[in-house]
Amino acid sequence: RLSNAEYDRSVSALLGTDQRPGHSFAPDKRQSGFTSNDAQRVDAVLAQQLFAAARQLAAEARGKLDKLAPCEEGQAQSDCAEHFITRFGAQAYRRPLTDEEHAGLLSLYREGAQDASYEDGIELVLRALLQSAGFLYVTELGEAGVKKTGALPLTSYELASALSYLMIGGPPDAPLLTAAASGALSDPEERQAQLLRLRTDFPESRAQLVRIVREWLELDRSEVTAKDIAFYPMYDEYGPAFARESHDFIAAVLDAEDPAGDLHTLLAADWTVADPALAEFYAGTALEDGRVSLSARRGILNQGAFLAVHAHAYESSPVLRGAAIARRIACMPVPDPGTLGIRVMAPPNDPTLSTRQRFTAHTADPACAQCHTVIDALGDAFERYDGMGAYRDTDNEVPVDSATDIHLGTDFDGAYQDSNALSLALANSARVQECLARHLFRAATARSPDKAGAAASEDAFIEDWHNLPEATRGNVVDTLSRLVSSRLFTHRGVEP
C-alpha cells in the first residue's frame, strides 16, 4: 500500500493539488524501519480517512475539470467521460485499464450524472478511483493468467511503478510509461537509465532519497521526539533545527557526489548544514551556502537528531545509541529483550554516578551481558553528549568517560577515545558499507529479511553488489542502480 508520503505525492501528480491529506492519516506501519513495505494495510480507521480525503480532493478537482476532464460544447458528455476514464484511469492505476474496470467506472459515471450533471458524474468517478485498490496499492502480481509459481516476472507497468516509487516516491511519468508500453524496461540498462533520468529530472528524487536515509537511521522520529523540559528546557528551541539539519545535511551529501562515497561523508564529514543558532550550539564556524565547519563533531551520528532520538526524555542512553549503531549501521543481530523473556529495568538513579557508571550493571548481569557487551561498547563512545545532543564534560558532576574498546569480530574493532573516532572507523568499514546496501535493498523492495525467502534474496543481492567497484559501494544511487539492473528487481517469489 502507498505510504502516507507516497499517497500525497501520487494525488499531487494526478490532480495538481497542494492538499497533503496523508500528513493527517494514521501513522504508517514500519518494517525494518521503513514506511515503504509490504506490511501496510487499509484498516477501518484509514478507510475512513481515505474516504474523507477522496471527497475533499474530488470536490477541489471539480473546479478544474476544464483541464482534467474537458468536454467541449457539442461533444457528447458520455464520450467525454469515456475518454476521461480511459486516460485518467490509466494514470491513477499506472497501467491501462481492463475492459471490466473501464465498464465499471463508466457505469459509475452514469449513476453520478443521472438527473444531475457531467461534473457530478466525473466527481463520483474521481472519488472511486482515489479509494480503489488499483490506486492505493503498488502491485506485484505479474501478468494475468500466468501460473503463479516459482519466480514471478513483474509486468512492464509494475516495473515502471517500482522504479518511480523508488526514486521519486510517486507515480511514473509519461516517458517511463512509454518505456513500459514498448517493453524497453526488460533491458537492465534501460532500467538503470530511467532511474538516473528520474534522479536528474525530478527535484522530488532528492526528498525521496533523503527520506530513505533518514528512515534507515530512524532520524525521521526527530519530528516527534520530545524531552522533559525539567532536564532539557532548550530542546523545544533546538529540536526543530535538528530535524531540518538532518534533512539538509543528507541532501547536501547526496548532491555532492563525493569521490569517497555518500556513506563516508555521512559518517565522517567535518561540516554540516545549520542555521546560526545551531552553528553556535555546535561551536562551529559558518561557511558558504549555509554550511558550518565543525571541529568537535564528525558526521551524522554526532548531530543533534541522532543523539536526541536515541536517548531518553530525561537522560542520555548508551543502550539506545549502541543498539542503533549495532542494528542500523553494522547490521549486528541484537534481539529485543522481550523475545528473550527479559524484563528491562533501568539501573536505579544515583546522583553520585554518571550514566555510564550506572549502566555497567548490564554487563555485570549474566542475563544481560551477552547483548550489552555489544551494545554498550558502541553506545559508551557517545557519552560526551547528553540526552538532547549537547556537549558535556561532566555527567552528575562526574567527568565523562567516552573511551571504548570494541572487540566484536568486526573490521572496526579497536580502541577509540570518543564517538568522533568511532564514526571515522565506521565510515571506513566494509561491513558498514554492506549494511547500508542491505537497508537500501529492504527499502527498495519493501521487504523485511524475516519474511519468507526475503533473507535469501537479500543475500543474493549483496553477493552481486560486491561486484561494484569498491569506491562506489558506499554510494546510494549506485547501489540502487545495481539493484534495478538485477533479476531480483524484476522478479518476485510467490508465497505459498
Side-chain angles (χ1 to χ4, degrees), residues 38-57:
D38 64 358
Q40 301 282 20
R41 297 292 183 270
V42 177
D43 58 20
V45 172
L46 182 59
Q48 289 297 320
Q49 293 171 328
L50 290 168
F51 175 82
R55 183 170 56 186
Q56 293 169 359
L57 289 165

Side-chain angles (χ1 to χ4, degrees), residues 217-239:
L217 297 174
E218 299 178 317
L219 302 181
D220 57 311
R221 287 167 43 196
S222 63
E223 279 89 350
V224 295
T225 294
K227 299 294 176 182
D228 189 327
I229 61 171
F231 293 88
Y232 303 115
M234 299 299 292
Y235 184 74
D236 285 349
E237 175 183 342
Y238 287 107

Side-chain angles (χ1 to χ4, degrees), residues 18 47 102 128 137 159 180 237 280 331 373 391 471 477:
D18 292 327
H102 188 279
Y137 283 84
L159 289 175
E237 175 183 342
E280 184 177 356
C331 288
T373 298
Y391 182 86
V477 173

Side-chain angles (χ1 to χ4, degrees), residues 1-2 7 42 50 94 129-138:
R1 197 210 77 211
L2 299 178
Y7 177 92
V42 177
L50 290 168
R94 303 173 286 275
L129 283 169
L130 294 176
Q131 296 175 81
S132 65
F135 171 69
L136 294 173
Y137 283 84
V138 180

Side-chain angles (χ1 to χ4, degrees), residues 199 206 248-258 262 291:
R199 173 71 174 121
R206 197 172 189 247
D248 296 344
F249 174 72
I250 293 168
V253 169
L254 296 174
D255 288 346
E257 298 182 358
D258 192 323
D262 299 331
R291 292 194 179 190

Side-chain angles (χ1 to χ4, degrees), residues 166-184:
L166 170 58
M167 184 52 71
I168 64 174
D173 65 349
L176 190 51
L177 290 173
T178 298
S182 70

Side-chain angles (χ1 to χ4, degrees), residues 159 163 176 179 183-197 480-487 489-490:
L159 289 175
L163 282 167
L176 190 51
L185 295 182
S186 62
D187 181 355
E189 292 186 0
E190 175 66 17
R191 295 195 299 274
Q192 288 181 315
Q194 289 288 345
L195 188 82
L196 297 178
R197 180 187 67 80
L480 296 177
S481 180
R482 188 75 182 191
L483 173 59
V484 303
S485 71
S486 164
R487 190 173 186 272
F489 187 77
T490 61

Side-chain angles (χ1 to χ4, degrees), residues 279-469:
E280 184 177 356
F281 179 82
Y282 286 158
T285 302
L287 301 174
E288 296 179 354
D289 301 327
R291 292 194 179 190
V292 174
S293 175
L294 303 175
S295 60
R297 298 182 188 236
R298 298 300 291 266
I300 200 164
L301 302 182
N302 289 290
Q303 292 177 6
F306 181 85
L307 297 166
V309 163
H310 299 291
H312 295 300
Y314 53 88
E315 67 176 353
S316 65
S317 176
V319 174
L320 293 179
R321 291 168 180 174
I325 298 295
R327 291 169 175 153
R328 313 301 293 178
I329 301 291
C331 288
M332 302 177 71
V334 178
D336 186 280
T339 65
L340 303 176
I342 298 174
R343 181 184 176 190
V344 177
M345 296 183 66
N349 289 327
D350 187 333
T352 68
L353 299 177
S354 68
T355 304
R356 177 170 182 170
Q357 289 171 333
R358 287 171 48 233
F359 276 79
T360 56
H362 284 151
T363 51
D365 184 340
C368 303
Q370 182 176 356
C371 292
H372 282 278
T373 298
V374 175
I375 295 170
D376 294 5
L378 297 167
D380 286 341
F382 293 85
E383 277 299 282
R384 285 285 174 192
Y385 303 107
D386 68 15
M388 69 168 276
Y391 182 86
R392 62 184 178 184
D393 287 314
T394 62
D395 178 17
N396 276 345
E397 300 185 1
V398 177
V400 168
D401 178 11
S402 61
T404 188
D405 287 300
I406 296 174
H407 304 287
L408 306 175
T410 69
D411 60 351
F412 55 84
D413 281 4
Y416 303 101
Q417 285 301 306
D418 56 25
S419 56
N420 287 317
L422 176 58
S423 292
L424 290 173
L426 295 171
N428 292 303
S429 165
R431 182 190 185 102
V432 174
Q433 282 187 336
E434 181 179 305
C435 188
L436 170 62
R438 287 185 180 277
H439 280 97
L440 290 175
F441 178 85
R442 295 166 195 174
T445 61
R447 295 293 187 277
S448 175
D450 59 2
K451 294 294 182 78
S457 295
E458 183 178 304
D459 289 341
F461 169 65
I462 292 301
E463 184 177 350
D464 179 59
W465 168 83
H466 276 289
N467 292 319
L468 281 172

